[in-house]
Amino acid sequence: MNEQTLSRRFFLKVSGAFVALAAVPSTVHAFYQDVKSFLVPPKETLPTTLTINKQPYKVTADTRSTLLDLLREELQLTGTKKGCDHGQCGACTVHVDGQRVLSCLTLTAMLPGKTVTTIEGLADGEKLHPMQQAFIECDGFQCGYCTPGQIMSAVACVNEGHTKSVAEIKEFMSGNLCRCGAYNGIVEAIQKVAK
Amino acid sequence: MEFFDNELSTLMPAEGRVEAIAKVTGKGKYAAEYTVPGVCYAVLVTSSIPAGTIKAIQVDKAKRATGVIDILYHQNKPVVPGFADETKIRESRVGLPVFYTDKIYFKGQPIALVVAESLEEATYAASLITADYTAEVFNVDFVKTHPSIPLKAAGKERGTVDEWSNAIHIVEAEYTIKEEVHNPMEMHATIAEWVGDNKVKLYEKTQGVNSVQRVISGLFSIPRENVEVISEFVGGGFGSGLRVWSNTLMAVMASLQVKRPVKLMLTRPQMFSLVGYRPESWQKIKLGADSSGKFSGMIHQAKHTTSVFENFNENITRIARLVYDFKNLKTESAIVPLNLGTPTWMRGPGDCTGDFAIESAIDELSYKLNEDPIALRLKNIALKNDPESGKPWSTHFIDECLEQGATKINWKNRKQTPGQVTEGDWQIGYGMAIGMWTSGRTQASASIVLDKSGTIIVRTAMTDIGTGTGTAMQNLAHESLGMPKNKIKVELGNSNLPPAPSQGGSTGLASLGGAVMDAATLLKQKLATYAAAINAQYKDAAAADILLSENGISYKQANAQFISYADLWKKVDEPTIEAEATSAPGEERQQFAFCSSAAHFCIVRVHSKTGKVKVDRMVCVADGGKIINEKPAANQVSGAAVGGIGMALMEEQQADVKFGSLLGNDLAGYHFAVNADAPIIEVSFIDKPDPNINQMGSKGLGEVGIIGCAAAIANAIYNATGKRLRNLPITPDKVLLG
Ligand code: FES
Ligand code: FES
C-alpha cells in the first residue's frame, strides 16, 4: 500500500469508521493507531481569486500556504520579507483591503475576493510613494530587510492617524522590528510624510 | 551575472544610498529571493536531545508525503571529501561535521534534511521524521559549572599585583552577562546549485563571499574559482555571517545529492541554535586607585561559554589592555564547554563584554572618590600611546568625544549623589562610559570600469550588510574621479569580483577605501596615456590633475583641451577601460597603533514601583577618523546604540538546565529593542582624518557604537537609584530586588 492508493475519500471513510468505533476494545484501538500512523494525508490545493497590486490573480495554492509564501515562492513578489514566520517581527506586513496585515499569519485560503497591496505595488509606476521617498531621504534603513514591512506599516500608521508625537509613532511602529536599529530614520520619515 | 541593483535614476535624491531604491521598492534580492529554475526546498529536522548518539532515524513516513524528493541524514548523504575522516574534519575547522557524525552535541543540532518540491511539502514531511537516541549526560549550566573551570593567564602580566595590593581605594566586584543572539532580520539562507559535478553556485547570506568560497572549495575539493558566491543584499549580520555554518553545507550537499538547485532558509527558532551567539559570561574586576584617583592596578578575570565540540574564546579581557594606562595589570580567562551550539563574534566581540565590567567598576570608583566620572577617566586614559605595544596612537580623540558628549547632554545638571532627582514615581539619573576598538585594516581589492557612454562601475567582492559600503564606494569614486554620482554604479557581493575580506570587525571601509582610491588613480593614468595620443599636453599629466565628467576628461592645466569619450575611444580598442588595485596595510603599522573610540552618555528614568527602566536620551560621540558618508555612518552608530540598549535592558537567552532547550527561541521569547524601547539617538563625530591609516583617513565605526552603551545605562541607573546592578540584562525584577 502506498499513498497513491490511499485516496482522501478512503482516509475519511476509514477515520470516520474509527471515530464511530471509539468505544470498542483496546486491541481495535491499537489497530486504528497503527493504520493512522501509516497514513500520510496528501497535499490539497484550493483555487483562490484575489487582487494583488491592482492585478487579478487566480492561484491554486497549497491549502497550507500562507500569503507570505505565496508571494515569495509562487509569485516572485519577494519584496515582502520573512523575518520570523510567526507574527513576531512585522517584516511581512502588507495591506489587505487597506489595513496592515501580517502575511505570515494569513493563509492564502482566507483571501478570496480580497485586495492585497505589497511593497511592489506602492509606487505609482516610476514615481515612488512619498513614504518610500522619505525613507530614502531620512536613511530609514541599513540592511533594508525590515524596510518593506516598515514602509507598509508606516503608510498605515499615517492613515490611522497615529503620528501626533515621536512617542506615538514609536509605539505604533513597535510591531516592526529592526535589528539594525534604524529607528531614528524610520521615525523621521514618518514625521515627514505625516506633516 | 546579476548585478547589485542600483538603477541609476534621476528620482534618486543625491544624499540617498546607492542601493536605496532597490531597498524601498522591494526589488533588491536577498539570498533566498533569486529566481532559480527548478529549485526545490529543504527543511531541517533537529535533535530533540542535547547529548548522545542517534540510534535510528525513521524517515519512511516522511518519504510517503507528497512532493518529497529525498531525505538526507547521517546514513544518506553525498560524499564530502573534507569530511572523509576524523583528521580531515578537524582540519576543515567548520565545527559541526553535519551528517558525518551520529553524535549529538546540543539540542537543535541538524539530524536530517527533507528536500521537496515546495516549502509546505518539505515542512510537513519534516514533521513526520522521528529519531531514537542513546541519551547521554549533558550540561548547559554555565553558572553552576564555571567555578570549577580554572582561569589561565590571558596575555602578559604588567607589573605586579603586590605593588598595589594596599591601594587606598579598591573596587572589587563580579559581573555577569546572559547569552545574546545576533538575530539579523534576514534569516540565514542559501540557494545552492551545482553546475556539473565540480562547479557550484551559491546565493548566500554571508558577510564575506570569499570566505564562503574558500570553505566550500576546500570541503568539496573543487577549485576555488569553481565556487561562485553571490551576496548582493545581506539582511544584517552583526557577526553571525562571518562563519560558514552547517546550513550552507547542507544546502550544498542536498543540491549535490538531488542534482537540482536547493533552497534552504533557516527558521527563526533555528537561528537561535545554529548560527552563533554572544556567549554567556562571568567577570571579576579588582580595581585600585591612589588618593589622587590615579589607577594603581587592575585584575580582570573572565569566563564564557563555548560548545563541547569547538573552543571559541572571544578574549573578554583584551579591552583591559587597550583603554587605560595600567602599570599593573593582570588578566585571566577561561572557556566553559556546554551542550550548546558554538558561540561566535557578535558586534564588539569580547570588548563589549569586558568594557561593561571595567566601565561599571570605574563608575563605582568615582563615587568612592567623590570625583566626576569623566574627570576620573581623563586622568587615566592612555591618550598618547597604546599601553600594550607602547606605540603612539596615530590619532586618538576620546578626550574630545567626552567633552562634546558632556556638553550635549548637559552633564553639569547631573547630581553627584545618587537618587536625588525624582518625577512622580520615576527616578532620574545620568550615566556615561567609553568604548574603544582597535582600527584594523586588511588587504582588499577593487576595480573601476569606464565605458564609452561615460558610465563608471566600481566593483568589489566585499558585501554591504547595511553599513553603506556601496555608497562609500560611490562617494570615493566621485571624489577621486570628479564623475557625477548619478553616473557611478556599484557592483559588489560577488566572488567573481575583485577579492575582499569579510565585512566585520569595523574593517570594511578602512580596508576597501584605499583600493577604490588607488584604482581611481590608475584609471586616470590610463586615460591620460590614451589622451596623450590625441593631445600631447596630457603626456605629463599627474593623475590628480585629471578630471572625469559625463562626457569626457579634462586636464586641470591651463588651456589644456577637453577630450570627449567619443574621441578618446577612437584610440581604444576595448569597449571599456578598466583599472584594478589592491591595497593593504603597510609600514605605518610598525610605527603607529590605531584605534576608534566613542563616548556614550545617557539619561534614564527608573520606575520605583515597577522597576521599569526607560532611556530618555542617549548621546554618542565617536572618533572614526574621517567620515565618508555622514548619514549612513550616524545610522550605524545609532543602530549600535539601540543594540546597546537591548544588551543593557532586555536581551537574554537562557538554557533550561533540565532539558537542555533554549528558553528564548523566537522573537517573542527573546527580546531586543523595538522602536519604542529607544529614544532618538543623538550621534555626532569628531570627523578628523587619521593621516596614517589609509588614503581616506577613515577608521572603523561598527563596533564602538555599542561598546560602552550598556555600562553607560547601568551607571545611569545607579545615579538614578543608588542601586549598582552588575548583571545584564537589567530587567525590572533586578531593579526592584537590587
Ligand atoms: S514574518 Fe510575519 S511577522 Fe515576522
Ligand atoms: S534595516 Fe536591517 S533590520 Fe531594519
Side-chain angles (χ1 to χ4, degrees):
Chain A
M1 195 161 57
N2 62 37
E3 79 275 20
Q4 269 81 25
T5 62
L6 287 171
S7 69
R8 177 174 143 75
R9 170 173 295 213
F10 169 81
F11 173 73
L12 286 177
K13 257 204 258 170
V14 172
S15 49
F18 281 114
V19 170
L21 289 172
V24 301
S26 58
T27 46
V28 179
H29 187 73
F31 174 68
Y32 163 57
Q33 290 301 337
D34 281 354
V35 174
K36 209 178 87 180
S37 72
F38 191 80
L39 291 173
V40 178
K43 157 177 168 173
E44 289 185 52
T45 58
L46 195 72
T48 307
T49 314
L50 71 168
T51 305
I52 303 173
N53 300 335
K54 304 210 175 92
Q55 301 263 337
Y57 279 86
K58 245 201 183 106
V59 296
T60 305
D62 193 315
T63 47
R64 298 162 295 195
S65 153
T66 60
L67 172 59
L68 175 60
D69 287 331
L70 176 82
L71 293 169
R72 287 172 64 83
E73 307 302 339
E74 297 296 323
L75 307 179
Q76 271 73 54
L77 291 169
T78 55
T80 305
K81 305 301 183 197
K82 185 183 280 189
C84 68
D85 218 14
H86 276 50
Q88 298 165 344
C89 78
C92 65
T93 307
V94 298
H95 296 170
V96 174
D97 292 344
Q99 304 284 319
R100 46 173 151 171
V101 158
L102 297 175
S103 61
C104 71
L105 293 187
T106 308
L107 289 171
T108 306
M110 294 154 66
L111 294 170
K114 301 276 190 200
T115 300
V116 176
T117 307
T118 72
I119 191 76
E120 290 93 342
L122 203 58
D124 182 6
E126 272 284 282
K127 198 172 166 326
L128 296 181
H129 184 281
M131 191 61 81
Q132 292 172 311
Q133 192 68 39
F135 264 68
I136 296 180
E137 283 162 18
C138 304
D139 207 36
F141 53 84
Q142 289 176 32
C143 76
Y145 197 78
C146 72
T147 311
Q150 299 281 1
I151 292 177
M152 296 311 283
S153 270
V155 170
C157 184
V158 172
N159 291 343
E160 292 156 11
H162 294 308
T163 55
K164 284 182 272 306
S165 64
V166 168
E168 192 184 18
I169 292 173
K170 281 182 161 288
E171 193 61 35
F172 282 85
M173 287 301 291
S174 280
N176 287 82
L177 307 186
C178 176
R179 188 50 157 163
C180 296
Y183 297 132
N184 272 10
I186 294 167
V187 172
E188 202 188 312
I190 295 173
Q191 283 178 306
K192 202 165 186 167
V193 174
K195 256 187 219 145
Chain B
M1 198 195 313
E2 317 213 19
F3 294 137
F4 187 63
D5 185 353
N6 54 356
E7 246 349 90
L8 298 176
S9 169
T10 43
L11 292 168
M12 190 170 84
E15 75 275 23
R17 295 187 188 220
V18 59
E19 80 290 8
I21 292 190
K23 283 181 176 167
V24 302
T25 57
K27 277 200 279 176
K29 293 282 183 204
Y30 296 79
E33 299 174 349
Y34 288 82
T35 307
V36 179
V39 74
C40 46
Y41 293 78
V43 169
L44 269 182
V45 182
T46 59
S47 71
S48 56
I49 61 158
T53 314
I54 304 170
K55 265 201 289 195
I57 296 189
Q58 292 84 29
V59 296
D60 286 359
K61 203 172 170 187
K63 274 191 180 156
R64 293 201 308 276
T66 320
V68 172
I69 300 165
D70 203 349
I71 298 166
L72 279 73
Y73 54 107
H74 67 293
Q75 288 158 333
N76 178 39
K77 77 250 178 183
V79 175
V80 179
F83 286 161
D85 53 52
E86 288 290 324
T87 325
K88 286 220 159 115
I89 289 174
R90 228 172 306 117
E91 284 167 4
S92 75
R93 299 176 62 190
V94 294
L96 189 70
V98 64
F99 301 149
Y100 274 77
T101 177
D102 57 358
K103 278 244 161 293
I104 300 296
Y105 302 105
F106 63 96
K107 199 163 184 168
Q109 180 181 326
I111 58 165
L113 185 79
V114 179
V115 186
E117 295 294 341
S118 76
L119 181 58
E120 291 82 5
E121 288 164 344
T123 307
Y124 176 61
S127 75
L128 302 174
I129 292 177
T130 50
D132 300 324
Y133 307 91
T134 313
E136 281 163 25
V137 183
F138 69 91
N139 179 12
V140 293
D141 196 336
F142 175 71
V143 175
K144 270 229 177 93
T145 312
H146 81 73
S148 65
I149 309 273
L151 287 157
K152 278 197 232 124
K156 207 170 156 268
E157 183 171 350
R158 280 188 217 152
T160 65
V161 175
D162 291 345
E163 226 169 285
W164 60 282
S165 52
N166 45 16
I168 302 176
H169 302 284
I170 297 264
V171 170
E172 191 168 4
E174 294 184 27
Y175 304 82
T176 64
I177 304 179
K178 283 279 189 267
E179 174 186 327
E180 294 161 31
V181 191
H182 307 69
N183 274 312
M185 286 314 298
E186 179 200 17
M187 297 173 291
H188 282 230
T190 310
I191 303 175
E193 180 177 21
W194 283 84
V195 193
D197 53 10
N198 78 340
K199 236 180 159 175
V200 67
K201 184 169 180 173
L202 265 69
Y203 300 95
E204 168 76 343
K205 182 203 172 80
T206 178
Q207 291 172 238
V209 292
N210 293 122
S211 95
V212 177
Q213 192 184 33
R214 190 171 51 244
V215 171
I216 298 297
S217 88
L219 276 182
F220 290 84
S221 251
I222 52 177
R224 204 174 282 189
E225 60 278 12
N226 285 10
V227 183
E228 183 182 357
V229 184
I230 298 165
S231 314
E232 294 172 311
F233 285 83
V234 183
F238 319 108
S240 69
L242 286 171
R243 262 198 103 173
V244 178
W245 299 99
S246 61
N247 59 300
T248 306
L249 306 185
M250 286 185 283
V252 177
M253 283 189 201
S255 170
L256 187 60
Q257 175 98 347
V258 304
K259 301 198 164 30
R260 279 175 63 179
V262 171
K263 184 192 292 199
L264 170 57
M265 185 185 233
L266 293 184
T267 62
R268 184 55 68 183
Q270 290 162 358
M271 288 289 294
F272 285 84
S273 49
L274 295 180
V275 292
Y277 53 89
R278 192 198 300 283
E280 181 172 0
S281 61
W282 165 92
Q283 297 177 72
K284 189 171 179 189
I285 298 269
K286 186 173 180 183
L287 172 66
D290 64 18
S291 54
S292 74
K294 215 53 193 121
F295 296 163
S296 43
M298 182 166 77
I299 302 173
H300 187 190
Q301 298 167 320
K303 295 179 186 180
H304 69 72
T305 61
T306 185
S307 67
V308 292
F309 57 99
E310 267 185 296
N311 288 340
F312 170 79
N313 190 335
E314 67 166 3
N315 213 344
I316 291 174
T317 60
R318 178 180 48 212
I319 194 159
R321 304 181 164 269
L322 188 67
V323 187
Y324 299 100
D325 203 1
F326 287 110
K327 297 280 176 286
N328 302 299
L329 176 66
K330 187 172 178 169
T331 52
E332 295 178 316
S333 71
I335 51 175
V336 180
L338 296 176
N339 290 98
L340 299 169
T342 307
T344 194
W345 307 287
M346 178 168 162
R347 207 160 212 185
D351 293 12
C352 201
T353 305
D355 184 276
F356 167 68
I358 297 173
E359 292 294 303
S360 295
I362 291 174
D363 197 69
E364 202 166 336
L365 182 68
S366 76
Y367 286 91
K368 280 203 171 171
L369 289 159
N370 196 21
E371 182 164 5
D372 184 285
I374 302 177
L376 177 61
R377 282 177 174 81
L378 283 171
K379 212 178 272 176
N380 289 287
I381 288 172
L383 198 59
K384 293 275 167 288
N385 296 302
D386 171 10
E388 188 66 6
S389 67
K391 288 180 204 167
W393 295 117
S394 176
T395 52
H396 189 14
F397 299 114
I398 187 64
D399 50 341
E400 293 185 30
C401 294
L402 282 164
E403 204 177 296
Q404 269 194 33
T407 313
K408 264 178 104 174
I409 202 144
N410 264 324
W411 187 253
K412 59 180 189 317
N413 290 350
R414 166 189 176 269
K415 302 274 178 284
Q416 177 69 23
T417 315
Q420 296 293 296
V421 188
T422 55
E423 237 176 54
D425 285 335
W426 295 96
Q427 295 176 290
I428 295 166
Y430 286 63
M432 57 80 52
I434 62 177
M436 257 177 93
W437 184 257
T438 49
S439 307
R441 181 185 169 197
T442 43
Q443 178 168 312
S445 307
S447 70
I448 303 186
V449 185
L450 172 70
D451 71 13
K452 264 185 223 187
S453 73
T455 303
I456 288 276
I457 304 176
V458 193
R459 293 179 160 149
T460 182
M462 189 175 281
T463 54
D464 184 343
I465 58 172
T467 46
T469 314
T471 309
M473 287 162 68
Q474 189 192 47
N475 283 354
L476 288 171
H478 164 72
E479 273 169 33
S480 31
L481 297 171
M483 188 67 115
K485 280 192 200 168
N486 65 359
K487 299 294 279 181
I488 304 173
K489 284 195 182 206
V490 171
E491 286 176 13
L492 51 71
N494 185 315
S495 60
N496 288 342
L497 299 172
S502 299
Q503 195 173 46
S506 299
T507 61
L509 185 55
S511 306
L512 180 66
V516 174
M517 291 178 73
D518 287 350
T521 303
L522 278 178
L523 180 76
K524 290 199 280 186
Q525 283 165 353
K526 272 195 172 179
L527 291 174
T529 314
Y530 288 122
I534 298 169
N535 180 333
Q537 275 178 304
Y538 277 87
K539 227 175 95 197
D540 312 309
D545 292 331
I546 301 279
L547 269 186
L548 280 71
S549 69
E550 291 172 69
N551 311 315
I553 66 166
S554 46
Y555 181 21
K556 276 201 231 148
Q557 229 43 263
N559 63 40
Q561 189 189 332
F562 166 84
I563 299 178
S564 74
Y565 294 127
D567 286 338
L568 196 73
W569 247 272
K570 287 177 190 154
K571 305 283 168 205
V572 183
D573 291 333
E574 287 85 47
T576 58
I577 301 173
E578 184 169 349
E580 181 168 333
T582 300
S583 98
E587 272 290 282
E588 73 282 359
R589 296 262 152 192
Q590 308 305 320
Q591 278 182 50
F592 299 104
F594 297 89
C595 68
S596 304
S597 61
H600 302 281
F601 292 81
C602 64
I603 303 178
V604 303
R605 53 178 62 224
V606 183
H607 199 275
S608 54
K609 296 212 168 73
T610 65
K612 185 183 168 73
V613 177
K614 263 209 84 74
V615 181
D616 266 3
R617 280 187 70 194
M618 182 102 207
V619 168
C620 307
V621 186
D623 166 25
K626 166 107 181 109
I627 303 302
I628 305 292
N629 353 284
E630 165 92 31
K631 263 192 192 179
N635 196 340
Q636 213 191 344
V637 172
S638 67
V642 171
I645 292 173
M647 176 180 183
L649 301 177
M650 61 203 81
E651 293 194 34
E652 105 181 273
Q653 174 67 288
Q654 302 207 52
D656 177 339
V657 294
K658 227 166 161 187
F659 299 104
S661 328
L662 298 174
L663 295 188
N665 76 343
D666 61 20
L667 298 178
Y670 181 91
H671 295 175
F672 55 79
V674 301
N675 207 324
D677 290 320
I680 297 292
I681 313 280
E682 302 158 61
V683 179
S684 56
F685 297 111
I686 302 300
D687 199 13
K688 288 187 190 164
D690 183 306
N692 303 303
I693 189 160
N694 50 31
Q695 291 93 316
M696 306 87 63
S698 302
K699 310 191 275 191
L701 273 177
E703 328 291 322
V704 290
I706 187 169
I707 302 170
C709 275
I713 293 169
N715 294 344
I717 294 172
Y718 179 78
N719 187 249
T721 63
K723 295 179 183 180
R724 179 62 65 185
L725 299 171
R726 303 185 184 91
N727 305 305
L728 297 185
I730 303 173
T731 44
D733 52 319
K734 290 183 188 153
V735 177
L736 288 181
L737 297 172

